[in-house]
Amino acid sequence: MASKRKNGEGTYGKKIINGIEYFFYRDVNKKMFYGRTEKDLMQKIKKYKNSTEFIVSNKTTIYEYSLMWLENKKMSIKRKTYDGYEYIVEYVIGCPDGFDLGSKQLSSVTENQVHSFINGMATKHARSTIVKTKALLNQIFNLAVKEKYIVVNPIRDVVIPIEDNIEKKTKEIVFLSTEDMDKLTIEADRVLSSKSPDKLYYGNNAKAIVFLYNTGLRIGELIGLQWKDVDMDRNRIKVTMTDSLIKNRNRDGQAKHKLDRTSPKSKASVRWVPLSDKAIEVIKYFDKFNPNHTDKDYVFLNKDFNRIKASLVNRTLKNMLSRADCKIKHCSVHELRHSFGSVLILNGVDIKVVSKLLGHSKITTTYDIYVHILPTQEDDAIRVLNKRTEDENK
């Protein structure tokens, strides 16, 4: 098979060795890499590049420089964040899809090339992905400017396409009404049959769902909650850790992902959360479920006394929404958090208080999420003006 050049440097192709077809790559120094599959080959190349000192030249591509930047960032960011960065580098920047940027040489990249790439993303990616990609490329190009590989940051003045011109529309945030929440609360106690009234139909996942929309916790914060963080006397909990799924990079036959226990998303996410009566009922349920728990034990366990899984809680929520005949038929566990915030705001709780309870680092984040459910406040403002006019005409 004829060989071909890829990503601006080196030669790729296929070769028959002892009757077996291999993918191969030969770099500019004539070092050879082989793999039974293209994926295997790429992993070997990446491992080699990450294990040697990276030397930037005029032929270095943006993808290659991005890999170097990513490797250097590994020790200064959370593993969940690293997984997100890696996805953008590998499958957005490094993916030749007609708007290829990764194969362009770093030393000669232009603003027009970067602008074309960002505009091209609008045909297949949501705005959130475009925003994240621009932010990541901005960091990468800033480093390249600092290290004097390029003179100016080519993405600095690039404007992201407006929502109307983005093919994959941003998903609207779903807010459950108090009526739907009440239905879910009743549904959570559904029994399997009259012959087994002590057996919950949905298991302990349903209890977790009730707790989520009564506290506004992130699912990772709920999974990471330990009994030492529960203050039964004051009816409150303290969010100090979060558990989330990350790539298992040393699989050894194990699962593709594993739980990573780390500090919450931001400093503001470390917070005390007061518990409503329904939330207290859930805590008391798990206290009775695992009466011999220690401070280091996790609160939310499944029937086998293992920690609950976010994917299964999402599946349970989907079934509950359907069987309880809720108006909202599709909702994620993260949107239960938004529902908690919306109920507070619609009932007059100051947005600063809501922001603190949700653990947002900036109040603008809270405002951006809930601004469109504040029409009553806008109506109140108009009524104030109308009243002033009426008073003046008296």
Side-chain angles (χ1 to χ4, degrees):
M1 173 184 173
S3 301
K4 60 179 181 179
R5 301 182 72 82
K6 189 174 182 180
N7 284 338
E9 187 175 340
T11 303
Y12 287 79
K14 293 181 181 179
K15 189 174 184 180
I16 304 296
I17 302 176
N18 296 328
I20 300 175
E21 184 179 69
Y22 289 87
F23 290 85
F24 76 84
Y25 169 71
R26 182 173 63 248
D27 68 12
V28 292
N29 297 316
K30 297 185 179 181
K31 181 175 178 60
M32 296 292 296
F33 300 85
Y34 293 94
R36 291 292 298 272
T37 65
E38 189 170 9
K39 181 179 179 180
D40 181 43
L41 173 65
M42 297 305 295
Q43 287 177 340
K44 289 180 178 180
I45 297 171
K46 181 180 177 181
K47 184 176 181 180
Y48 172 76
K49 288 183 176 180
N50 288 342
S51 65
T52 59
E53 183 179 356
F54 190 87
I55 301 175
V56 179
S57 69
N58 289 335
K59 292 184 178 181
T60 299
T61 65
I62 293 173
Y63 171 68
E64 291 168 335
Y65 190 77
S66 298
L67 285 176
M68 180 275 295
W69 172 87
L70 182 64
E71 182 66 20
N72 290 338
K73 290 285 288 186
K74 182 180 289 186
M75 300 303 294
S76 61
I77 57 177
K78 294 182 179 181
R79 282 170 281 187
K80 184 72 173 180
T81 303
Y82 180 86
D83 286 350
Y85 283 3
E86 183 184 55
Y87 174 84
I88 292 175
V89 170
E90 291 286 1
Y91 299 105
V92 181
I93 298 173
C95 178
D97 55 2
F99 302 97
D100 181 23
L101 181 68
S103 66
K104 302 294 188 297
Q105 291 179 351
L106 175 68
S107 60
S108 58
V109 64
T110 66
E111 181 178 319
N112 187 56
Q113 289 174 329
V114 177
H115 215 146
S116 295
F117 169 73
I118 293 295
N119 287 340
M121 286 187 66
T123 64
K124 62 182 294 187
H125 294 286
R127 193 174 193 279
S128 59
T129 302
I130 301 174
V131 169
K132 291 175 183 176
T133 301
K134 182 186 174 182
L136 190 145
L137 280 170
N138 187 56
Q139 291 187 59
I140 293 170
F141 289 136
N142 276 339
L143 178 63
V145 171
K146 183 179 179 180
E147 295 183 336
K148 299 182 180 180
Y149 297 125
I150 56 178
V151 177
V152 296
N153 183 338
I155 204 170
R156 182 183 59 191
D157 299 323
V158 171
V159 178
I160 293 175
I162 61 174
E163 186 69 32
D164 290 347
N165 294 329
I166 295 177
E167 190 70 23
K168 192 174 181 180
K169 301 303 180 185
T170 300
K171 180 184 174 184
E172 288 188 10
I173 297 175
V174 173
F175 298 99
L176 291 179
S177 65
T178 52
E179 181 183 356
D180 277 353
M181 289 184 184
D182 289 341
K183 287 182 178 180
L184 287 179
T185 301
I186 295 172
E187 187 69 16
D189 290 327
R190 179 194 285 267
V191 296
L192 185 61
S193 70
S194 58
K195 296 181 180 179
S196 54
D198 60 330
K199 187 173 182 181
L200 290 177
Y201 187 86
Y202 297 104
N204 291 347
N205 289 338
K207 297 296 184 182
I209 288 169
V210 172
F211 196 80
L212 285 170
Y213 64 68
N214 275 280
T215 58
L217 262 63
R218 301 176 178 92
I219 183 64
E221 294 171 343
L222 178 138
I223 293 174
L225 188 67
Q226 294 175 298
W227 282 106
K228 66 181 178 61
D229 301 316
V230 178
D231 186 343
M232 298 284 279
D233 295 327
R234 295 188 177 184
N235 293 328
R236 62 180 186 171
I237 59 171
K238 187 174 185 181
V239 177
T240 60
M241 302 295 287
T242 184
D243 288 21
S244 56
L245 282 178
I246 62 169
K247 283 186 178 181
N248 185 356
R249 300 179 188 280
N250 299 306
R251 289 183 62 187
D252 296 328
Q254 302 300 313
K256 292 182 179 180
H257 297 86
K258 64 179 181 180
L259 274 177
D260 177 46
R261 184 166 178 78
T262 184
S263 57
K265 192 173 183 180
S266 65
K267 289 183 179 179
S269 294
V270 178
R271 63 201 187 277
W272 283 102
V273 178
L275 301 180
S276 66
D277 291 342
K278 289 295 181 183
I280 293 169
E281 287 179 13
V282 174
I283 289 294
K284 288 181 177 179
Y285 165 82
F286 281 101
D287 185 32
K288 184 178 179 181
F289 177 78
N290 185 22
N292 298 317
H293 60 73
T294 66
D295 284 350
K296 292 184 178 181
D297 286 339
Y298 293 96
V299 177
F300 290 88
L301 306 175
N302 61 23
K303 64 180 181 179
D304 298 318
F305 292 89
N306 296 316
R307 280 191 285 174
I308 62 173
K309 295 181 179 179
S311 59
L312 297 182
V313 176
N314 265 305
R315 186 184 303 175
T316 299
L317 176 59
K318 179 180 179 181
N319 292 333
M320 288 175 65
L321 288 168
S322 176
R323 294 194 178 105
D325 194 28
C326 293
K327 290 182 180 179
I328 298 297
K329 302 300 181 183
H330 301 285
C331 172
S332 69
V333 292
H334 192 72
E335 287 167 321
L336 295 178
R337 168 176 164 83
H338 295 318
S339 299
F340 167 82
S342 69
V343 168
L344 296 182
I345 288 175
L346 290 173
N347 282 274
V349 178
D350 190 283
I351 196 167
K352 292 181 180 179
V353 176
V354 176
S355 184
K356 185 176 181 181
L357 289 173
L358 292 172
H360 287 160
S361 57
K362 299 178 181 178
I363 193 172
T364 52
T365 301
T366 317
Y367 185 82
D368 288 343
I369 294 172
Y370 299 105
V371 63
H372 66 288
I373 67 167
L374 298 171
T376 54
Q377 293 188 16
E378 293 170 1
D379 292 342
D380 289 342
I382 298 301
R383 279 194 289 271
V384 169
L385 293 176
N386 289 339
K387 188 176 186 307
R388 286 174 58 87
T389 302
E390 290 172 2
D391 292 343
E392 290 173 358
N393 293 332
K394 284 182 180 180

